[in-house]
């Protein structure tokens, strides 16, 4: 079939499912002071038409100078010298990069954790994301008393105020027949194609190897991606106890209690169990050389393992945890912890060479008051750092400007690969005819600066405070609407869409053949004659 016919068909399919885009602009209220949450719902007005002229359009497989025409929230054309009428908003992108909006695979908005709740909800967190060039994120649903359905319903309500597109992962914190059946419901009815298993947080979210195996088997049968937080929870518990006995109660005790070796152990164990079950595995927030080595070894052997570093691991070291000011030190507490010098550079190298596949944030912010819950005991400091607004800029500055990756690699690592893994490509993660019009314009000659005094999170601190670098997202277009321009947000609570993600992404290609080859290799059962007396 002719390629032009295919693209027209693809375009038509997406137009059928298109939501009504918003044309009215609503100014974002001051970060940390108040939010325009009374303005729920979709504003009235006609759908927008936008032409982006003369920019370098970058996809993960190609970059070319071209125009991009957007209509009804969809990319309608990508070609040279597009002519349009007077009713179209024209944007000059000459000398700039036009790229798919970022997709953050790892966030925790409105999450109840450690006797408090993350300070960013589905409006403030998404506002921050859009200001930083991220146009979709995937948040982790935490079950309610072990119930997946209860957790899903709670998060649907939390996401009511969304101002950009989002999807859900689902955590599994216990195992029984009900959970098994609810996993089927999540995949078949709710559009969730990934399940996370915590190997840490003993007494709270942590599961054992028996549950891990049952969960892996269920994921495989459903075509869902199994995800793990790779830390040995029993070892962490012992390490915490040891630090307290030594009189180390401050934030530095957090890092000392859970060294890289136990991240490596749990990551390796999860990889071996996934291989035993023969199912793909996704390791979240890879923070250490130890974990990278386990992933590299598995991938070299042909195993389907995805490694996700986060911005904090790539850009920071653990020196902040030893700061004499508790407020400063506590803001860096997360799990697995930010590692010592050397680990970040190793993570960057693994990302540039394909050992690791995409970049997340683990955006899980708690303010200074919340962090002070552990002022006398690091075990009570809520774990989490920011990153949803900073990710695109820091990855550009640290990886592209430094020459470690290409511009096309950048698109792959921040957008396309996530869309492929979670089976929403090319609707997301691409600027192709028929793709959603989630687009950023990045000026490589502009500079950015990061500070809690003007970021868009509700957080009163920032782990990247004072960082400056090259390359700035000057415009963000989400769902065909300009939502970030001239350092101003124009967003409306309630306009974000939930994106269903179907099962059996490319990670499952050939799994049946591997299974068949394994079964044929067993040479069993062996027929034997029974001994006679």
């Amino acid at each position: 079939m002719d390629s032009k016919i295919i693209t027209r068909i693809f375009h038509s399919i997406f137009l059928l499912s298109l939501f009504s885009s918003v044309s009215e602009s609503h100014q974002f209220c001051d970060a940390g002071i108040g939010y325009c949450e009374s303005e729920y719902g979709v504003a009235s007005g006609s759908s927008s038409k936008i032409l982006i002229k003369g920019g370098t359009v970058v996809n993960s497989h190609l970059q070319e100078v071209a125009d991009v025409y957007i209509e009804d929230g969809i990319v309608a054309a990508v070609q040279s010298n597009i002519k349009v009428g007077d009713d179209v908003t024209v944007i000059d992108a000459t000398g700039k990069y036009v790229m798919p909006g970022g997709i953050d695979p790892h966030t925790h908005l409105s999450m109840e954790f450690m006797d408090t709740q993350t300070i960013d909800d589905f409006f403030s967190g998404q506002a921050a994301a859009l200001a930083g060039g991220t146009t979709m994120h995937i948040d982790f649903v935490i079950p309610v008393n072990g119930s997946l359905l209860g957790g899903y319903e709670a998060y649907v309500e939390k996401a009511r105020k969304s101002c950009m597109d989002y999807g859900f992962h689902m955590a599994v914190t216990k195992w029984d027949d009900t959970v098994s059946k609810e996993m089927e419901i999540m995949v078949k009815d709710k559009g969730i194609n990934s399940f996370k298993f915590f190997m840490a947080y003993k007494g709270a979210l942590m599961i054992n190897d028996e549950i891990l195996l049952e969960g892996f088997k269920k994921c495989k049968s459903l075509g869902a991606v199994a995800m793990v937080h790779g830390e040995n929870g029993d070892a962490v518990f012992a390490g915490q106890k040891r630090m307290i006995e030594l009189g180390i109660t401050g934030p530095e005790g957090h890092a000392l209690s859970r060294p890289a070796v136990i991240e490596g152990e749990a990551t390796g164990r999860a990889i071996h169990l996934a291989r035993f079950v023969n199912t793909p595995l996704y390791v979240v927030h890879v923070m250490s050389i130890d974990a990278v080595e386990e992933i590299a070894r598995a991938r070299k052997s042909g195993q389907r393992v995805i490694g996700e570093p986060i911005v904090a691991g790539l850009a920071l070291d653990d020196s902040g945890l030893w700061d004499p000011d508790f407020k400063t030190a506590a803001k860096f507490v997360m799990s697995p912890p930010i590692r010592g010098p050397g680990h970040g550079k190793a993570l960057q190298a693994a990302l540039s060479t394909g050992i690791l596949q995409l970049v997340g944030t683990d955006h899980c912010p708690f303010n200074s008051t919340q962090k002070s819950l552990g002022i006398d005991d690091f075990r009570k400091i809520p774990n989490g750092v920011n990153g949803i607004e900073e990710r695109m800029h820091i990855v550009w500055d640290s990886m592209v400007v430094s020459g470690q990756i290409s511009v096309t690699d950048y698109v792959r690592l921040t957008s396309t690969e996530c869309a492929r893994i979670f089976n929403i490509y090319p609707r997301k993660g691409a600027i192709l005819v028929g793709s959603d019009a989630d687009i950023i314009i990045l000026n490589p000659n502009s500079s950015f600066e990061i500070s809690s005094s003007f970021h868009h999170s509700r957080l009163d601190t920032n782990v990247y405070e004072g960082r400056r670098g090259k390359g700035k997202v000057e415009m963000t277009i989400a769902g065909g609407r300009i939502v970030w321009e001239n350092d101003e947000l124009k967003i409306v609570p309630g306009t974000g869409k939930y994106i269903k993600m179907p099962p059996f992404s490319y990670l499952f290609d050939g799994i049946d053949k591997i299974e068949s080859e394994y079964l044929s290799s067993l040479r069993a059962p062996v027929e034997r004659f029974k001994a006679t007396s």
Side-chain angles (χ1 to χ4, degrees):
M1 185 180 292
D2 185 85
S3 61
K4 292 183 178 179
I5 296 175
I6 294 173
T7 55
R8 282 199 290 269
I9 292 172
F10 182 58
H11 188 196
S12 299
I13 291 171
F14 280 110
L15 285 173
L16 289 173
S17 62
L18 184 64
F19 77 109
S20 297
S21 62
V22 185
S23 62
E24 294 185 2
S25 296
H26 290 256
Q27 181 59 45
F28 179 77
C29 298
D30 291 338
I33 299 174
Y35 293 82
C36 307
E37 295 184 353
S38 61
E39 297 176 343
Y40 283 123
V42 178
S44 61
S46 59
S47 298
S48 59
K49 297 179 182 179
I50 299 173
L51 177 66
I52 306 172
K53 285 193 68 66
T56 300
V57 179
V58 187
N59 283 292
S60 63
H61 64 289
L62 174 70
Q63 67 179 72
E64 57 182 337
V65 176
D67 298 344
V68 179
Y69 177 58
I70 298 166
E71 186 171 344
D72 293 334
I74 298 294
V75 176
V78 182
Q79 61 188 64
S80 300
N81 301 316
I82 297 175
K83 306 299 181 183
V84 294
D86 294 337
D87 60 337
V88 176
T89 299
V90 179
I91 300 163
D92 183 7
T94 304
K96 302 174 184 179
Y97 290 111
V98 180
M99 299 185 284
I103 307 174
D104 189 339
H106 190 154
T107 63
H108 297 282
L109 303 181
S110 294
M111 176 190 180
E112 288 91 7
F113 185 57
M114 296 183 73
D115 298 322
T116 186
Q117 180 171 299
T118 52
I119 199 69
D120 277 333
D121 60 19
F122 275 79
F123 182 63
S124 67
Q126 291 183 352
L130 291 170
T134 288
T135 54
M136 180 180 169
H137 70 109
I138 312 177
D139 209 78
F140 285 90
V141 174
I142 306 300
V144 175
N145 297 321
S147 169
L148 277 55
L149 191 57
Y152 173 81
E153 291 171 347
Y155 271 73
V156 166
E157 181 60 26
K158 291 177 181 183
R160 189 173 67 90
K161 60 182 71 176
S162 292
C163 58
M164 77 177 199
D165 292 357
Y166 63 96
F168 287 148
H169 305 293
M170 175 64 70
V172 174
T173 56
K174 71 172 189 178
W175 190 260
D176 56 28
D177 288 342
T178 299
V179 170
S180 178
K181 291 174 182 176
E182 285 184 332
M183 286 179 70
E184 296 180 20
I185 294 171
M186 292 301 117
V187 173
K188 295 175 181 178
D189 299 335
K190 306 302 183 184
I192 293 174
N193 67 1
S194 50
F195 295 89
K196 181 179 180 180
F197 303 88
F198 289 88
M199 301 173 77
Y201 301 121
K202 186 178 178 70
L205 301 171
M206 178 179 164
I207 50 87
N208 58 29
D209 286 358
E210 181 182 5
I211 295 176
L212 204 56
L213 283 167
E214 292 296 330
F216 283 2
K217 288 189 289 185
K218 192 67 178 182
C219 284
K220 178 183 175 181
S221 70
L222 294 171
V225 178
M227 312 176 81
V228 292
H229 171 143
E231 282 187 293
N232 185 314
D234 289 319
V236 169
F237 184 79
Q240 290 174 329
K241 183 179 178 182
R242 184 183 183 191
M243 291 304 113
I244 296 298
E245 290 172 347
L246 291 172
I248 302 171
T249 60
E252 69 279 10
H254 176 78
L256 293 171
S257 69
R258 47 208 312 153
V261 64
I262 63 175
E263 181 187 353
E265 185 280 329
T267 300
R269 178 158 43 98
I271 286 171
H272 292 311
L273 293 179
R275 184 165 189 167
F276 177 69
V277 174
N278 184 30
T279 197
L281 182 68
Y282 183 118
V283 183
V284 304
H285 50 43
V286 177
M287 297 293 285
S288 68
I289 295 170
D290 303 57
V292 167
E293 289 176 343
E294 296 288 348
I295 293 167
R297 189 178 300 112
R299 288 181 61 84
K300 186 176 181 180
S301 74
Q303 191 174 349
R304 313 281 176 87
V305 179
I306 298 294
E308 169 212 271
I310 62 170
V311 179
L314 295 170
L316 302 173
D317 63 41
D318 66 350
S319 57
L321 289 165
W322 271 261
D323 194 286
D325 176 57
F326 176 84
K327 177 181 175 181
T328 299
K331 74 179 181 181
F332 293 101
V333 170
M334 66 166 294
S335 294
I338 298 166
R339 303 297 182 188
H343 287 272
K345 289 296 184 183
L347 291 170
Q348 291 182 22
L351 198 60
S352 67
T353 56
I355 295 170
L356 303 176
Q357 286 69 50
L358 74 170
V359 182
T361 63
D362 195 7
H363 183 81
C364 187
F366 298 97
N367 66 19
S368 298
T369 301
Q370 293 171 305
K371 292 279 189 176
S372 68
L373 292 170
I375 195 165
D376 296 317
D377 186 344
F378 69 83
R379 296 173 296 182
K380 298 178 182 178
I381 301 173
N383 289 196
V385 300
N386 59 292
I388 201 169
E389 183 170 358
E390 298 80 12
R391 179 181 72 122
M392 298 293 282
H393 287 115
I394 291 177
V395 174
W396 179 271
D397 185 56
S398 62
M399 300 295 292
V400 181
V401 175
S402 68
Q404 294 187 79
I405 63 172
S406 68
V407 180
T408 52
D409 286 337
Y410 174 80
V411 168
R412 173 175 54 84
L413 296 171
T414 60
S415 184
T416 307
E417 188 60 20
C418 182
R420 292 182 68 237
I421 290 168
F422 298 107
N423 219 10
I424 50 175
Y425 179 85
R427 177 182 181 182
K428 301 290 187 183
I431 302 179
L432 299 171
V433 174
S435 298
D436 285 359
D438 296 338
I439 295 171
I440 62 172
I441 299 177
L442 185 146
N443 187 343
N445 297 314
S446 292
S447 299
F448 69 86
E449 181 181 357
I450 298 171
S451 175
S452 59
S453 63
F454 50 77
H455 68 198
H456 296 83
S457 166
R458 286 196 174 114
L459 192 60
D460 63 340
T461 62
N462 194 306
V463 293
Y464 311 101
E465 187 70 39
R467 180 168 178 137
R468 294 176 173 86
K470 293 287 290 184
K472 184 178 181 182
V473 176
E474 295 186 337
M475 180 176 289
T476 304
I477 298 170
R481 295 183 59 238
I482 298 171
V483 294
W484 172 253
E485 183 183 19
N486 298 323
D487 290 338
E488 292 184 354
L489 277 166
K490 301 175 181 180
I491 53 178
V492 182
T495 55
K497 302 191 307 297
Y498 175 63
I499 305 299
K500 288 189 173 183
M501 299 179 289
F504 293 104
S505 72
Y506 83 92
L507 293 176
F508 287 85
D509 293 350
I511 287 290
D512 288 344
K513 183 177 180 181
I514 294 172
E515 190 78 7
S516 176
E517 290 176 351
Y518 164 73
L519 293 174
S520 65
S521 72
L522 296 178
R523 297 183 293 115
V526 176
E527 292 186 12
R528 292 184 173 86
F529 297 104
K530 292 184 178 180
T532 57
S533 53

